[in-house]
Amino acid sequence: MTKRTKEQLWQQRTEWPLAMVAVAFLVMYSVEVLYQPQGDEARILWAATWITWSLFVVDYVVRLILAPNRWHWFVRHLFDLLIVALPLMRPLRLLRLVVLVGALQKAVGNAVRGRILIYTISGVSLLIYVTSLAILDQERDQPGANITSFGKAVWWAITTVTTVGYGDLYPITFTGRVIAVLLMIGGISLIGVVTASLASWIVQRVAETDSANRAATAAQIDELRTEVRTLAEQLQDDDSNGVG
């Protein structure tokens, strides 16, 4: 059994707690964008949001410190650095919620088709919801913006992630366009992963069926050989008795 590194142990122990923090962050971010609280409520929500965000920063720093080769780890986790460093990319940290997707997968079972169904539904729903919040937060107060409500933001996210792109709604800010690019890449990547997984499952099933057929054919051939050998021995015995 392979011995786990300190970083792997830390990641295993903090996976679920950080997933719960991500859920809390999603709820607070949703309240901030959809209800736009004012006064003390806004300040409390702002403080709570950044407290939860700081936990992800701590997680990044600890994993960097515990890594056996820090420079190699740093280079391999540049995307994590961007996520914790750039406020405009903060919704992407909600990808920690894939842990919850894994829990749903256990409830469904270990069937590959079950995993694909759960990953697809959960991944698409989370991607659309988060990007809808992010694009609405960036666009609605801008002069000339056309994504001014959550309904329009969801419609834009759906048409973008499916690569339909009617063009009736579109971001006008730089940050909004960055979010759009990330949504396009995420949608294409998700479709690619699902397609590859499904193709792999089909190939595996075909190979298993082919192996089973070969095994059955070999068993039938062995059985026929045994029967032929038995008949040959009976004929020899009959000939011997006839001669005698």
Side-chain angles (χ1 to χ4, degrees):
M1 184 176 180
T2 305
K3 185 178 180 180
R4 295 188 176 183
T5 64
K6 292 181 179 180
E7 182 209 347
Q8 290 172 334
L9 291 174
W10 167 267
Q11 188 169 355
Q12 180 184 5
R13 292 169 183 173
T14 59
E15 197 171 43
W16 272 103
L18 286 176
M20 297 299 102
V21 172
V23 173
F25 180 82
L26 174 60
V27 172
M28 290 185 289
Y29 186 65
S30 300
V31 172
E32 179 183 351
V33 174
L34 298 178
Y35 295 99
Q36 296 181 283
Q38 303 294 326
D40 292 338
E41 292 181 352
R43 285 189 286 272
I44 293 173
L45 186 62
W46 179 87
T49 300
W50 283 104
I51 288 173
T52 58
W53 190 251
S54 66
L55 296 176
F56 293 120
V57 178
V58 171
D59 173 60
Y60 175 86
V61 173
V62 171
R63 287 191 294 134
L64 176 61
I65 294 174
L66 295 178
N69 187 332
R70 293 176 185 174
W71 175 250
H72 182 65
W73 188 94
F74 175 80
V75 173
R76 290 185 57 190
H77 294 81
L78 289 176
F79 187 68
D80 286 349
L81 176 62
L82 291 176
I83 290 175
V84 299
L86 300 179
L88 69 89
M89 298 184 69
R90 61 183 180 175
L92 294 180
R93 197 55 178 177
L94 295 169
L95 292 176
R96 283 279 184 180
L97 291 175
V98 295
V99 178
L100 301 181
V101 177
L104 293 175
Q105 178 240 312
K106 291 179 181 178
V108 173
N110 292 324
V112 175
R113 283 173 294 181
R115 288 203 296 269
I116 292 177
L117 178 63
I118 290 297
Y119 289 153
T120 303
I121 295 176
S122 303
V124 169
S125 300
L126 181 61
L127 188 62
I128 290 174
Y129 181 70
V130 170
T131 52
S132 298
L133 291 175
I135 200 71
L136 178 62
D137 189 25
Q138 296 295 327
E139 293 285 316
R140 63 181 164 195
D141 296 327
Q142 301 298 322
N146 51 67
I147 303 177
T148 55
S149 67
F150 185 65
K152 290 182 178 179
V154 172
W155 173 251
W156 169 84
I158 292 174
T159 57
T160 302
V161 78
T162 55
T163 67
V164 174
Y166 287 113
D168 54 340
L169 299 172
Y170 51 87
I172 62 173
T173 64
F174 173 77
T175 302
R177 289 168 181 170
V178 171
I179 294 172
V181 170
L182 294 174
L183 178 58
M184 295 173 195
I185 295 174
I188 294 172
S189 300
L190 188 61
I191 293 173
V193 169
V194 172
T195 303
S197 300
L198 185 59
S200 176
W201 175 76
I202 293 174
V203 171
Q204 181 182 0
R205 290 303 302 269
V206 170
E208 290 175 354
T209 302
D210 185 55
S211 298
N213 291 336
R214 289 183 180 180
T217 302
Q220 291 173 351
I221 292 174
D222 291 339
E223 185 178 353
L224 288 173
R225 286 176 177 172
T226 302
E227 292 180 358
V228 170
R229 190 179 301 110
T230 302
L231 290 173
E233 292 175 353
Q234 290 178 354
L235 288 174
Q236 289 179 356
D237 291 341
D238 292 341
D239 290 342
S240 299
N241 292 334
V243 173

